[in-house]
Amino acid sequence: MPAVPYIPWPSPIATSDVARSGRGLGWPAVRGEQVWWAEDRPEEGGRTTIMRRAADGVRTELLPAPWNARTRVHEYGGRPYTVTDDGRVVFANLEDQRLYVVEDDGPRALTPDDGCRYADMSVRDGQIWAVQERHDDDGKVVRAIVSIPLDSGEPVERVTGNDFYASPTLSPDGELLAYICWNHPRMPWNGTELRLTRLADGSSWTVKGGTSESVLAPQFLDDSHLCLISDWSGWWNLYRIGIYGTSSQALFPAEEEFAWPLWNLGGQPYAILGDGRLAVLHGQGDMRLGLLDPDSGTLTDLEVPYSGWLPALAADGGTLVGVGYGPAVPTSIVRVDLATGRVEGLRRAVEELPDVAYLPKPEKVEFTGRFGRRVHAIVYPPTNPDMSPEEQPEGAGEAGEAGEAPPYVVSVHGGPTGHAVTALDLEKAFFTSRGIGVIDVNFSGSTGYGRAYRERLRGQWGVVDVEDAVAAAEWLVSSGRADPRRIAIRGGSAGGWTVMAACCRSDVFAGGVSYYGVSALGPLNEHTHDFESRYVEWLVGPDDPALYATREPLALVDGVRCPMLLLQGLDDPVVPPEQSSAFADALAERGVPCTYLTFEGESHGFRRAETRSAALAAELAFYQQIFG
């Protein structure tokens, strides 16, 4: 039976609505009644500013254009600012990566103009503590933990010698420095160490962790004990431990994650409250907000109108701030008064939403992949209140026989060590309101489901991720949800690799859309940034052209039979443009339809509203072509 041409539903959600909805909110801080956060502005070229909300509710932008608060440590950056004891903001400026302090008459430079980068900052007793990253002229990258006096701005090196550092934090008496460190070829979700350094004499020792244990987010409970997160049990759980590695105690052992992977520096997945309790995030996939009593081991979830939270909590006494979201609730800066129970949204990523009837309701599902693997996914069905069953165009309605079910897009997250959540996403609603369903696949290797689940990807990138994406498409068909002739696949970065590889290895997809995807491993190893420069060893194996030729899309391009759309930023330091252009050229040589679009000034992840709008319009046009 031939497929019925796809006829898009009319939708009130425009590309400009989606592009403007990308206001990124994150990294909250709180001092008494004042709250700060970082805010990305797509309409200002993706610039990041710092906002402050005073006790009277007045919001103030602290960084006017062209100031741009963004750190490039590890290239993925992280928290770009910190707040001093007297309420001033110290931030990393994108253009020169120097630290500046915001004074009444504007930002004042603190650190030398020497190209050094800073992240994971905090302030204690007039000193900024931070991870410093130095790029030497010979290409060598050196990292250290430094302290920077607020009055002079000259960095003082405190700890160095490891390839990577995170989470520097001082003991209450100021004598001990705790931090996380790890070395190549490991990534922070493979194995890290929690170490302590006595500042008086520089002596150091390991408290917990190693090559096969991921330890994250240390905080001092007192001068003799630390709180931390470790996946020693197979799940990132909370522990209390003595400063010499003694008296380790699991605070709430559970088959749940209490943290996300350490892609960005400066996140805090839990916060210590004034009464000694911990505000924690926990769950599988999405994380809920709860209060944990470390003495009794009691964990109580808070009644809040947000079903998920980003791993960035901050507290002052009984006031808690975080970044919450829901399927129909925009990502928001949220303040919780634990004394009164009041929950207040201070800033939303999207100020004006379409009618919620146009927003798809996510459904968490599991299906069986190859060799009986259980795979997690989130389904977003076509949703449009204006299209009753009798009004829906033929071929765009409810699931039925082949040619009568709607089209779907299999969406693959990046990383690949990441995961998709159920946060409100107008980009998905843009498609679902037009009659195109979306399924987010948390393929083998995704975080959020324990160490064993993410270890499935070890040495198997380009195999199990592809198999799980194909299994998602086959499950959509077998469950009667999607037309087998009208399923596409999309993804960005590592997800773009999976898109290309899936189109090389399978014929289940009608087309593929890759945003700044990886097509060849040798050039990636040679040109990518230091943080991920050894990542492929874990994902695939050692630098072996014969092995790489069995995995990389560029070597398997003869298998592509479907049209493809490739989108790429020309200033991308993570996945250089040559990765996309080489694949586009190879498709063109073989006569496979391919559209290759590039964007000046865009890096890894599109930040400008005009770019996001143009890319989305091109993607919709591509689907209309292949589904028709």
Side-chain angles (χ1 to χ4, degrees), residues 220-348:
F220 280 94
L221 294 170
D222 54 44
D223 289 330
S224 302
H225 296 88
L226 289 146
C227 191
L228 59 93
I229 292 175
S230 167
D231 70 351
W232 176 83
S233 69
W235 297 81
W236 273 315
N237 281 189
L238 275 160
Y239 292 82
R240 176 168 50 193
I241 195 169
I243 59 173
Y244 296 106
T246 58
S247 306
S248 177
Q249 175 191 0
L251 298 181
F252 192 83
E255 291 190 350
E256 293 185 332
E257 303 282 42
F258 284 71
W260 281 14
L262 195 65
W263 280 105
N264 306 110
L265 295 180
Q268 195 56 264
Y270 68 95
I272 301 174
L273 304 173
D275 59 7
R277 291 181 298 169
L278 306 178
V280 303
L281 302 175
H282 67 107
Q284 292 192 22
D286 295 298
M287 294 199 295
R288 305 182 302 279
L289 176 63
L291 296 180
L292 173 61
D293 186 331
D295 295 324
S296 67
T298 303
L299 175 56
T300 305
D301 286 341
L302 295 177
E303 294 293 331
V304 293
Y306 303 92
S307 57
W309 296 77
L310 303 185
L313 295 177
D316 186 14
T319 301
L320 177 69
V321 293
V323 185
Y325 63 80
V329 181
T331 299
S332 304
I333 300 295
V334 182
R335 179 169 59 190
V336 182
D337 187 328
L338 297 173
T340 64
R342 184 185 180 193
V343 180
E344 185 180 8
L346 306 182
R347 182 71 154 166
R348 308 199 318 171

Side-chain angles (χ1 to χ4, degrees), residues 154-240:
E154 287 294 330
V156 178
E157 189 174 278
R158 300 291 188 157
V159 175
T160 193
N162 291 97
D163 293 333
F164 301 98
Y165 292 95
S167 306
T169 183
L170 287 174
S171 59
D173 60 14
E175 296 183 0
L176 299 175
L177 174 67
Y179 51 92
I180 299 298
C181 59
W182 68 98
N183 294 308
H184 283 306
R186 299 193 304 275
M187 299 297 283
W189 42 87
N190 302 141
T192 62
E193 295 179 61
L194 166 56
R195 290 183 61 81
L196 289 179
T197 292
R198 195 178 304 279
L199 295 174
D201 58 14
S203 59
S204 300
W205 62 94
T206 297
V207 176
K208 192 165 176 55
T211 58
S212 58
E213 178 184 3
S214 175
V215 180
L216 305 171
Q219 292 193 61
F220 280 94
L221 294 170
D222 54 44
D223 289 330
S224 302
H225 296 88
L226 289 146
C227 191
L228 59 93
I229 292 175
S230 167
D231 70 351
W232 176 83
S233 69
W235 297 81
W236 273 315
N237 281 189
L238 275 160
Y239 292 82
R240 176 168 50 193

Side-chain angles (χ1 to χ4, degrees), residues 236-476:
W236 273 315
N237 281 189
L238 275 160
Y239 292 82
R240 176 168 50 193
I241 195 169
I243 59 173
Y244 296 106
T246 58
S247 306
S248 177
Q249 175 191 0
L251 298 181
F252 192 83
E255 291 190 350
E256 293 185 332
E257 303 282 42
F258 284 71
W260 281 14
L262 195 65
W263 280 105
N264 306 110
L265 295 180
Q268 195 56 264
Y270 68 95
I272 301 174
L273 304 173
D275 59 7
R277 291 181 298 169
L278 306 178
V280 303
L281 302 175
H282 67 107
Q284 292 192 22
D286 295 298
M287 294 199 295
R288 305 182 302 279
L289 176 63
L291 296 180
L292 173 61
D293 186 331
D295 295 324
S296 67
T298 303
L299 175 56
T300 305
D301 286 341
L302 295 177
E303 294 293 331
V304 293
Y306 303 92
S307 57
W309 296 77
L310 303 185
L313 295 177
D316 186 14
T319 301
L320 177 69
V321 293
V323 185
Y325 63 80
V329 181
T331 299
S332 304
I333 300 295
V334 182
R335 179 169 59 190
V336 182
D337 187 328
L338 297 173
T340 64
R342 184 185 180 193
V343 180
E344 185 180 8
L346 306 182
R347 182 71 154 166
R348 308 199 318 171
V350 185
E351 292 297 339
E352 295 186 10
L353 288 178
D355 187 327
V356 294
Y358 291 96
L359 302 179
K361 295 180 180 179
E363 177 189 356
K364 294 183 179 181
V365 300
E366 292 183 24
F367 54 84
T368 302
R370 195 176 185 192
F371 304 122
R373 289 193 302 262
R374 299 300 294 168
V375 182
H376 298 273
I378 307 167
V379 177
Y380 297 85
T383 305
N384 189 314
D386 300 326
M387 303 304 295
S388 62
E390 56 272 10
E391 293 174 324
Q392 292 172 7
E394 186 180 6
E398 295 300 319
E401 298 179 2
E404 296 179 353
Y408 257 83
V409 175
V410 175
S411 181
V412 185
H413 65 70
T417 307
H419 67 277
V421 296
T422 59
L424 170 68
D425 183 353
L426 283 188
E427 188 171 85
K428 289 187 178 68
F430 177 84
F431 293 120
T432 59
S433 63
R434 286 171 167 78
I436 302 173
V438 177
I439 180 170
D440 268 335
V441 184
N442 280 319
F443 52 84
S444 299
S446 301
T447 50
Y449 307 99
R451 184 169 186 125
Y453 194 85
R454 69 178 188 267
E455 288 278 346
R456 290 181 185 177
L457 198 62
R458 185 173 189 171
Q460 296 296 305
W461 194 36
V463 179
V464 298
D465 52 324
V466 170
E467 291 173 349
D468 290 353
V470 170
E474 293 173 342
W475 176 81
L476 286 169

Side-chain angles (χ1 to χ4, degrees), residues 46-203:
R47 185 180 75 89
T48 301
T49 187
I50 307 299
M51 301 293 293
R52 180 185 64 208
R53 188 180 191 272
D56 59 5
V58 174
R59 285 198 303 255
T60 303
E61 181 179 353
L62 301 180
L63 296 182
W67 295 104
N68 194 345
R70 188 174 163 198
T71 171
R72 290 188 58 191
V73 172
H74 297 181
E75 293 301 344
Y76 292 110
R79 177 183 289 273
Y81 79 101
T82 188
V83 180
T84 68
D85 299 331
D86 58 4
R88 291 178 295 168
V89 163
V90 174
F91 71 97
N93 186 48
L94 175 62
E95 183 177 1
D96 55 15
Q97 288 297 288
R98 299 173 72 182
L99 294 185
Y100 291 76
V101 59
V102 179
E103 308 280 17
D104 291 340
D105 56 351
R108 170 175 62 87
L110 283 176
T111 53
D113 189 11
D114 56 6
C116 284
R117 306 173 182 182
Y118 301 89
D120 226 342
M121 297 167 285
S122 62
V123 175
R124 174 81 177 272
D125 301 329
Q127 300 266 351
I128 303 167
W129 295 81
V131 174
Q132 181 195 67
E133 182 178 279
R134 186 178 74 247
H135 293 248
D136 293 340
D137 292 338
D138 60 1
K140 184 179 180 181
V141 182
V142 178
R143 297 179 181 87
I145 295 177
V146 299
S147 61
I148 307 164
L150 272 169
D151 54 357
S152 70
E154 287 294 330
V156 178
E157 189 174 278
R158 300 291 188 157
V159 175
T160 193
N162 291 97
D163 293 333
F164 301 98
Y165 292 95
S167 306
T169 183
L170 287 174
S171 59
D173 60 14
E175 296 183 0
L176 299 175
L177 174 67
Y179 51 92
I180 299 298
C181 59
W182 68 98
N183 294 308
H184 283 306
R186 299 193 304 275
M187 299 297 283
W189 42 87
N190 302 141
T192 62
E193 295 179 61
L194 166 56
R195 290 183 61 81
L196 289 179
T197 292
R198 195 178 304 279
L199 295 174
D201 58 14
S203 59

